[in-house]
Tab-separated table of all heavy atoms in Angstrom:
chain	number	residue	atom	x	y	z
A	5	ASN	N	57.743	15.360	-45.978
A	5	ASN	CA	56.329	15.738	-46.342
A	5	ASN	C	55.533	14.558	-46.875
A	5	ASN	O	54.986	14.468	-47.995
A	5	ASN	CB	56.405	16.911	-47.492
A	5	ASN	CG	57.056	18.086	-47.046
A	5	ASN	OD1	56.813	18.444	-45.897
A	5	ASN	ND2	57.833	18.654	-47.928
A	6	ALA	N	55.576	13.439	-46.120
A	6	ALA	CA	55.049	12.223	-46.447
A	6	ALA	C	54.081	11.673	-45.437
A	6	ALA	O	54.274	11.851	-44.185
A	6	ALA	CB	56.045	11.171	-46.765
A	7	LEU	N	52.973	11.111	-45.942
A	7	LEU	CA	51.888	10.533	-45.072
A	7	LEU	C	51.845	9.068	-45.401
A	7	LEU	O	51.964	8.645	-46.531
A	7	LEU	CB	50.645	11.218	-45.387
A	7	LEU	CG	49.438	10.960	-44.427
A	7	LEU	CD1	49.703	11.534	-42.991
A	7	LEU	CD2	48.091	11.547	-44.955
A	8	TYR	N	51.562	8.225	-44.357
A	8	TYR	CA	51.539	6.771	-44.612
A	8	TYR	C	50.199	6.237	-43.908
A	8	TYR	O	49.660	6.818	-43.003
A	8	TYR	CB	52.705	6.176	-43.975
A	8	TYR	CG	53.984	6.660	-44.477
A	8	TYR	CD1	54.773	7.505	-43.716
A	8	TYR	CD2	54.472	6.278	-45.696
A	8	TYR	CE1	55.957	8.090	-44.185
A	8	TYR	CE2	55.612	6.777	-46.288
A	8	TYR	CZ	56.362	7.666	-45.398
A	8	TYR	OH	57.551	8.235	-45.950
A	9	LEU	N	49.826	5.127	-44.467
A	9	LEU	CA	48.724	4.388	-43.842
A	9	LEU	C	48.867	2.965	-43.958
A	9	LEU	O	48.931	2.297	-44.989
A	9	LEU	CB	47.341	4.749	-44.528
A	9	LEU	CG	46.148	4.072	-43.903
A	9	LEU	CD1	45.908	4.522	-42.498
A	9	LEU	CD2	44.855	4.309	-44.784
A	10	GLN	N	49.083	2.283	-42.720
A	10	GLN	CA	49.280	0.823	-42.655
A	10	GLN	C	47.900	0.289	-42.325
A	10	GLN	O	47.213	0.620	-41.308
A	10	GLN	CB	50.232	0.468	-41.507
A	10	GLN	CG	50.399	-0.984	-41.294
A	10	GLN	CD	51.113	-1.596	-42.444
A	10	GLN	OE1	52.074	-1.191	-43.020
A	10	GLN	NE2	50.564	-2.790	-42.890
A	11	MET	N	47.447	-0.548	-43.210
A	11	MET	CA	46.129	-1.173	-43.087
A	11	MET	C	46.283	-2.743	-42.923
A	11	MET	O	46.807	-3.321	-43.771
A	11	MET	CB	45.257	-0.834	-44.356
A	11	MET	CG	45.162	0.576	-44.641
A	11	MET	SD	44.045	1.052	-45.949
A	11	MET	CE	44.814	0.220	-47.401
A	12	ASN	N	45.723	-3.228	-41.705
A	12	ASN	CA	45.892	-4.510	-41.452
A	12	ASN	C	44.409	-5.130	-41.238
A	12	ASN	O	43.509	-4.383	-41.131
A	12	ASN	CB	46.656	-4.853	-40.138
A	12	ASN	CG	48.067	-4.376	-40.223
A	12	ASN	OD1	48.718	-4.438	-41.348
A	12	ASN	ND2	48.628	-3.796	-39.183
A	13	SER	N	44.367	-6.428	-41.241
A	13	SER	CA	43.087	-7.170	-41.121
A	13	SER	C	42.012	-6.536	-41.924
A	13	SER	O	40.884	-6.131	-41.502
A	13	SER	CB	42.689	-6.939	-39.671
A	13	SER	OG	43.650	-7.640	-38.715
A	14	LEU	N	42.389	-6.451	-43.228
A	14	LEU	CA	41.455	-5.661	-44.148
A	14	LEU	C	40.173	-6.558	-44.406
A	14	LEU	O	40.134	-7.776	-44.446
A	14	LEU	CB	42.198	-5.519	-45.505
A	14	LEU	CG	43.150	-4.346	-45.498
A	14	LEU	CD1	44.199	-4.328	-46.594
A	14	LEU	CD2	42.403	-3.003	-45.454
A	15	LYS	N	39.042	-5.735	-44.661
A	15	LYS	CA	37.687	-6.284	-44.857
A	15	LYS	C	37.232	-5.896	-46.202
A	15	LYS	O	37.639	-4.751	-46.628
A	15	LYS	CB	36.888	-5.798	-43.726
A	15	LYS	CG	37.190	-6.110	-42.302
A	15	LYS	CD	36.341	-5.505	-41.328
A	15	LYS	CE	36.788	-5.695	-39.903
A	15	LYS	NZ	35.780	-5.094	-38.917
A	16	PRO	N	36.250	-6.468	-46.724
A	16	PRO	CA	35.710	-6.106	-48.050
A	16	PRO	C	35.217	-4.673	-47.950
A	16	PRO	O	35.306	-3.972	-48.957
A	16	PRO	CB	34.559	-7.119	-48.302
A	16	PRO	CG	35.139	-8.358	-47.604
A	16	PRO	CD	35.812	-7.856	-46.403
A	17	GLU	N	34.660	-4.227	-46.838
A	17	GLU	CA	34.122	-2.925	-46.727
A	17	GLU	C	35.226	-1.840	-46.695
A	17	GLU	O	34.915	-0.693	-46.649
A	17	GLU	CB	33.243	-2.771	-45.558
A	17	GLU	CG	33.910	-3.247	-44.181
A	17	GLU	CD	33.393	-4.614	-43.834
A	17	GLU	OE1	33.506	-5.588	-44.807
A	17	GLU	OE2	33.190	-4.994	-42.631
A	18	ASP	N	36.496	-2.273	-46.672
A	18	ASP	CA	37.522	-1.360	-46.722
A	18	ASP	C	37.856	-0.950	-48.157
A	18	ASP	O	38.734	-0.034	-48.423
A	18	ASP	CB	38.812	-1.801	-46.173
A	18	ASP	CG	38.660	-2.081	-44.557
A	18	ASP	OD1	38.115	-1.122	-43.952
A	18	ASP	OD2	39.249	-3.028	-44.086
A	19	THR	N	37.255	-1.675	-49.156
A	19	THR	CA	37.414	-1.491	-50.566
A	19	THR	C	37.005	0.032	-50.980
A	19	THR	O	36.033	0.538	-50.482
A	19	THR	CB	36.554	-2.361	-51.377
A	19	THR	OG1	37.132	-3.729	-51.198
A	19	THR	CG2	36.610	-2.076	-52.875
A	20	GLY	N	37.854	0.614	-51.714
A	20	GLY	CA	37.631	1.906	-52.159
A	20	GLY	C	38.763	2.617	-52.743
A	20	GLY	O	39.884	2.017	-52.767
A	21	VAL	N	38.697	3.922	-53.102
A	21	VAL	CA	39.812	4.730	-53.559
A	21	VAL	C	40.235	5.511	-52.292
A	21	VAL	O	39.417	6.264	-51.741
A	21	VAL	CB	39.468	5.616	-54.763
A	21	VAL	CG1	40.618	6.501	-55.164
A	21	VAL	CG2	38.894	4.778	-55.863
A	22	TYR	N	41.474	5.505	-52.033
A	22	TYR	CA	42.012	6.188	-50.852
A	22	TYR	C	42.820	7.391	-51.291
A	22	TYR	O	43.632	7.368	-52.269
A	22	TYR	CB	42.991	5.272	-49.944
A	22	TYR	CG	42.070	4.320	-49.217
A	22	TYR	CD1	41.592	3.231	-49.913
A	22	TYR	CD2	41.936	4.378	-47.890
A	22	TYR	CE1	40.863	2.258	-49.107
A	22	TYR	CE2	41.307	3.441	-47.096
A	22	TYR	CZ	40.707	2.379	-47.671
A	22	TYR	OH	39.980	1.565	-46.923
A	23	TYR	N	42.458	8.538	-50.566
A	23	TYR	CA	43.124	9.834	-50.962
A	23	TYR	C	43.650	10.404	-49.619
A	23	TYR	O	43.184	10.178	-48.494
A	23	TYR	CB	42.062	10.809	-51.433
A	23	TYR	CG	41.263	10.456	-52.635
A	23	TYR	CD1	40.107	9.666	-52.467
A	23	TYR	CD2	41.623	10.818	-53.881
A	23	TYR	CE1	39.372	9.325	-53.681
A	23	TYR	CE2	40.956	10.548	-54.997
A	23	TYR	CZ	39.795	9.745	-54.855
A	23	TYR	OH	39.063	9.446	-56.036
A	24	CYS	N	44.823	11.174	-49.734
A	24	CYS	CA	45.257	11.913	-48.766
A	24	CYS	C	44.989	13.442	-48.941
A	24	CYS	O	44.856	13.821	-50.149
A	24	CYS	CB	46.809	11.779	-48.587
A	24	CYS	SG	47.808	12.231	-49.949
A	25	ASN	N	44.855	14.122	-47.934
A	25	ASN	CA	44.641	15.589	-48.032
A	25	ASN	C	44.571	16.118	-46.631
A	25	ASN	O	44.816	15.378	-45.657
A	25	ASN	CB	43.187	15.861	-48.652
A	25	ASN	CG	43.173	17.175	-49.363
A	25	ASN	OD1	43.755	18.099	-48.981
A	25	ASN	ND2	42.469	17.236	-50.410
A	26	ARG	N	44.604	17.428	-46.526
A	26	ARG	CA	44.436	18.038	-45.157
A	26	ARG	C	43.198	17.652	-44.512
A	26	ARG	O	42.283	17.393	-45.155
A	26	ARG	CB	44.591	19.599	-45.382
A	26	ARG	CG	45.903	20.252	-45.836
A	26	ARG	CD	45.628	21.579	-46.033
A	26	ARG	NE	46.802	22.247	-46.424
A	26	ARG	CZ	46.877	23.424	-46.974
A	26	ARG	NH1	45.772	24.159	-47.089
A	26	ARG	NH2	48.003	24.018	-47.399
A	27	ARG	N	43.320	17.513	-43.257
A	27	ARG	CA	42.059	17.221	-42.501
A	27	ARG	C	41.120	18.531	-42.559
A	27	ARG	O	39.900	18.251	-42.706
A	27	ARG	CB	42.441	16.989	-40.998
A	27	ARG	CG	41.209	16.581	-40.038
A	27	ARG	CD	41.568	16.646	-38.648
A	27	ARG	NE	41.973	17.983	-38.231
A	27	ARG	CZ	42.464	18.247	-37.067
A	27	ARG	NH1	42.688	17.264	-36.126
A	27	ARG	NH2	42.711	19.564	-36.736
A	28	ASP	N	41.682	19.588	-42.469
A	28	ASP	CA	40.914	20.921	-42.559
A	28	ASP	C	41.503	21.672	-43.885
A	28	ASP	O	42.517	21.488	-44.288
A	28	ASP	CB	41.125	21.720	-41.337
A	28	ASP	CG	41.008	20.993	-40.114
A	28	ASP	OD1	39.843	20.293	-39.822
A	28	ASP	OD2	41.926	20.906	-39.293
A	29	SER	N	40.671	22.573	-44.309
A	29	SER	CA	41.083	23.372	-45.472
A	29	SER	C	41.696	22.563	-46.539
A	29	SER	O	42.917	22.518	-46.847
A	29	SER	CB	42.198	24.331	-45.007
A	29	SER	OG	42.501	25.285	-45.997
A	30	LEU	N	40.810	21.748	-47.174
A	30	LEU	CA	41.206	20.796	-48.190
A	30	LEU	C	41.930	21.468	-49.386
A	30	LEU	O	41.542	22.576	-49.760
A	30	LEU	CB	39.873	20.126	-48.799
A	30	LEU	CG	39.266	19.122	-47.789
A	30	LEU	CD1	38.005	18.682	-48.435
A	30	LEU	CD2	40.116	17.962	-47.436
A	31	SER	N	42.936	20.830	-49.833
A	31	SER	CA	43.647	21.121	-51.014
A	31	SER	C	43.011	20.382	-52.199
A	31	SER	O	42.127	19.572	-51.995
A	31	SER	CB	45.094	20.874	-50.872
A	31	SER	OG	45.777	21.348	-51.986
A	32	ALA	N	43.531	20.699	-53.474
A	32	ALA	CA	43.129	19.903	-54.560
A	32	ALA	C	43.422	18.414	-54.351
A	32	ALA	O	44.504	18.089	-53.921
A	32	ALA	CB	43.793	20.478	-55.904
A	33	TRP	N	42.505	17.618	-54.797
A	33	TRP	CA	42.676	16.135	-54.630
A	33	TRP	C	43.626	15.556	-55.602
A	33	TRP	O	43.725	16.023	-56.764
A	33	TRP	CB	41.360	15.427	-54.803
A	33	TRP	CG	40.284	15.773	-53.711
A	33	TRP	CD1	39.248	16.701	-53.857
A	33	TRP	CD2	40.211	15.199	-52.334
A	33	TRP	NE1	38.602	16.790	-52.601
A	33	TRP	CE2	39.133	15.902	-51.686
A	33	TRP	CE3	40.990	14.253	-51.640
A	33	TRP	CZ2	38.782	15.536	-50.441
A	33	TRP	CZ3	40.517	14.025	-50.426
A	33	TRP	CH2	39.498	14.713	-49.793
A	34	GLY	N	44.416	14.476	-55.119
A	34	GLY	CA	45.178	13.749	-56.018
A	34	GLY	C	44.302	12.753	-56.817
A	34	GLY	O	43.125	12.758	-56.677
A	35	GLN	N	45.020	11.809	-57.362
A	35	GLN	CA	44.297	10.871	-58.203
A	35	GLN	C	43.774	9.598	-57.294
A	35	GLN	O	42.918	8.821	-57.696
A	35	GLN	CB	45.182	10.245	-59.260
A	35	GLN	CG	46.193	9.150	-58.896
A	35	GLN	CD	47.336	9.563	-58.100
A	35	GLN	OE1	47.598	10.794	-57.852
A	35	GLN	NE2	48.070	8.726	-57.427
A	36	GLY	N	44.371	9.484	-56.060
A	36	GLY	CA	43.980	8.443	-55.204
A	36	GLY	C	44.599	7.216	-55.573
A	36	GLY	O	45.257	6.961	-56.627
A	37	THR	N	44.417	6.172	-54.767
A	37	THR	CA	44.940	4.749	-54.950
A	37	THR	C	43.861	3.856	-54.611
A	37	THR	O	43.225	3.838	-53.609
A	37	THR	CB	46.192	4.491	-54.166
A	37	THR	OG1	46.807	3.236	-54.540
A	37	THR	CG2	46.129	4.601	-52.673
A	38	GLN	N	43.603	2.872	-55.498
A	38	GLN	CA	42.507	1.958	-55.357
A	38	GLN	C	42.887	0.716	-54.559
A	38	GLN	O	43.908	0.083	-54.811
A	38	GLN	CB	42.100	1.423	-56.801
A	38	GLN	CG	41.018	0.260	-56.723
A	38	GLN	CD	39.687	0.773	-56.311
A	38	GLN	OE1	39.203	1.781	-56.852
A	38	GLN	NE2	39.165	0.141	-55.364
């Protein structure tokens, strides 16, 4: 029950808080990761 995101060649515009959730029928949001 795990989701991953490999991010390469990062740009300043990639800055933000990243959250995981369902694509449809959203569940409650987690705290995210900066």
Side-chain angles (χ1 to χ4, degrees):
N5 298 323
L7 188 70
Y8 305 101
L9 182 62
Q10 178 66 44
M11 304 188 294
N12 298 328
S13 302
L14 283 164
K15 304 175 181 180
E17 51 263 44
D18 296 319
T19 293
V21 181
Y22 284 74
Y23 302 86
C24 61
N25 209 322
R26 292 174 178 166
R27 182 192 65 187
D28 314 301
S29 187
L30 294 172
S31 183
W33 295 97
Q35 83 288 351
T37 183
Q38 174 71 51

